[in-house]
Amino acid sequence: ETDLVFKLQYHWTRAGDSPEVLAKAVHYLTLAGDQAILDFSLKEAAQLHGEALALAMKTSALADKRGSLQRRMARRHYLQGEAALARDQLHLALASLGGEARPLDQLSDRQLYWKFQRQKAKRYLRIFAKAQQIGPPPAEGPELQRNELAMAYELLAQLSLQEHSILQA
């Protein structure tokens, strides 16, 4: 299955520049980059997610994919211990996902904590409300956008807590 994802991303990245083809290329590049992160091949994930973001920037039809990719890139920076780069990517992701347009560095730790708690509560309420439904998580649309936003805030909270614990030491 992993080999298939890599073959599909290779195919779709060379298939043309129509919006439909670019959407497929971004989709399979994202899946391949996610697999690379799971395999801790972070350099490969950077290349794949970066290429997906570059393609998503080519057309406004893929604007809804940008925030998700920026969040994934921030996570990779976080895993590599690159806190400043992770924070920068998270600010871009939050703005793309409809979250905070201004840098969250201007917020106090307490304000950031409560923003995170609200997003987390909303996410859990949606999950709980849909617990009776059987099926995979949403592949696109506002539900996916809200999940991505919650994950971005969660990663930002983890990053802030890590930085705070380093300062306390």
Side-chain angles (χ1 to χ4, degrees):
E1 182 178 310
T2 302
D3 289 338
L4 180 61
V5 169
F6 283 94
K7 287 177 184 176
L8 286 169
Q9 70 84 21
Y10 180 84
H11 166 76
W12 285 107
T13 55
R14 286 150 183 79
D17 283 335
S18 73
E20 296 82 18
V21 169
L22 289 176
K24 288 286 190 182
V26 167
H27 174 74
Y28 287 111
L29 281 165
T30 302
L31 290 177
D34 291 350
Q35 185 59 49
I37 285 178
L38 290 174
D39 295 341
F40 272 91
S41 181
L42 301 178
K43 222 176 190 181
E44 185 177 14
Q47 185 264 324
L48 293 165
H49 285 151
E51 190 175 343
L53 182 60
L55 291 177
M57 298 299 260
K58 282 187 171 184
T59 176
S60 61
L62 296 174
D64 62 330
K65 306 293 183 200
R66 296 174 190 161
S68 172
L69 287 162
Q70 290 162 329
R71 181 196 56 81
R72 285 171 163 81
M73 293 171 77
R75 182 167 178 257
R76 183 195 48 83
H77 285 302
Y78 176 76
L79 291 172
Q80 287 183 297
E82 299 168 337
L85 293 173
R87 186 175 291 278
D88 291 344
Q89 280 294 330
L90 279 171
H91 290 309
L92 294 172
L94 288 170
S96 295
L97 292 166
E100 297 296 319
R102 66 186 175 116
L104 294 174
D105 294 341
Q106 299 171 2
L107 299 176
S108 69
D109 286 345
R110 184 173 178 81
Q111 289 171 316
L112 186 59
Y113 172 80
W114 285 111
K115 278 189 172 294
F116 165 67
Q117 290 301 325
R118 281 193 300 274
Q119 287 294 328
K120 189 173 166 183
K122 287 178 186 177
R123 184 177 177 198
Y124 287 135
L125 285 173
R126 282 190 297 276
I127 290 170
F128 180 73
K130 293 191 174 213
Q132 302 303 320
Q133 291 181 337
I134 297 175
E140 56 187 54
E143 184 69 25
L144 177 65
Q145 201 82 350
R146 285 189 293 269
N147 286 343
E148 287 288 341
L149 186 59
M151 288 188 285
Y153 276 118
E154 185 174 355
L155 182 56
L156 186 60
Q158 289 173 353
L159 183 61
S160 295
L161 288 172
Q162 181 184 37
E163 290 172 345
H164 183 72
S165 65
I166 289 171
L167 291 175
Q168 294 296 322

